[in-house]
Amino acid sequence: MGERGSIIDGLKEHLRAIFPTFGNLSIRPTNNSGQVEIVIWPTKAMDHPELSFPLSYSGTGLGQVLAILSVVMTTSESVIIIDEINSFLHPGAVKILLRLLQTEYTQHQYIISTHSPEVISFSNPSTLHLVQRDGYRSRVRQMDLEKVRELREVTRELGISMADVFAADRIIWVEGPTEEICFPEIYKAETKKAVPAGCKILAVSDTGRLTGGRNKDATFQLYRSLAEKAAPLVSDVKFSLDSEALTPDQKTDLARAAKGSVEFLPRRHLECYLIHAGSIADFIAHRQKEASSDASVPTEKEVETALKNLAGSEQFKVPDWKNELEDEAWLAQVDAAKLIREVCTVVSETRVTFNKNGDSFSLLQLVIKNNPSQIKKLSDYVRLLVDGPAG
């Protein structure tokens, strides 16, 4: 390729398009044996040799792309195999390289292996095969490209990444980001192991579309269609929704719309399992310490008193309140997220606030540390979602 100036110029332009920090390259001898090395320049001009450096000093991506383009640009009608292109290139660089291969070097057949859904999306493949290990053998299965295209549309509509789907064989759609981060922690605390790799717990993009919209059936079907479009990858889709203020009839209607694949948290929402005075006191103390506050550290008794006073007030009172924080009927109905927020504000004299989305996970960790039995029923619920009924 050394004497084919137009190819070298084209190669450099391609490298500049893929790597914004690439300027130029040159070749220089390394010793008297006739060996040479490729030198990389950070600018297009090659006026200051002290700024250049050997290709071996660059990241592996530049060398890999240089090798790929050298073959692509100097051969004709070849079968070119690229293994795990995303392992050595940033997604943006992958997209540019694949676009070059598809538009300027169409004479070749490309076989690309990848674990990345983004690479599949960028490459616009004519065929797609799934390789699965079966003991000491690999099984190769051709996938329906039309389903993959439809899957891309579904994931875009739901506001999630195709990577979530391609990495899963089961998906559990949960109420929101709080449950998405807390449920795996609860499962780990109960079982002493992580959620199985093939099971993904993902937040729905808009709970209101599922529980309050007129087109609940269509919305549930949109989520369930992931399993259909991603088959044989995703085999099971479930939903976990908060009970909130749903009536039995509303739950029945939602279960019908979800075709039986929905479970309801037994209590109003996740924070109903986090009403533990000692843990809330620790939460307030930690936040005051983070803020370098010299305020006195609240005691468990002070928090308990505040919880009971507020629970009995008009703002939070429910028919089943019996002045007992452990009462199951009360815990199932109280708006615990707002109650905990108000307690933190009152006890800390407004120095500490509690935010459901930002702080429930921190409080959960304190409850697990201080009194794991507090979330036993929640742990049982999460474990049933992940593992299914005990066989």
Side-chain angles (χ1 to χ4, degrees), residues 174-186 201-204 242 269-271 274 337 354-362 364:
V174 293
E175 185 80 14
T178 299
E179 289 74 16
E180 182 176 338
I181 189 174
C182 287
F183 277 18
E185 185 75 5
I186 294 164
I201 299 176
L202 304 173
V204 299
D242 289 350
H269 46 224
L270 182 142
E271 287 73 22
L274 305 183
F354 176 85
N355 177 271
K356 172 182 171 68
N357 289 336
D359 297 324
S360 290
F361 182 72
S362 298
L364 169 68

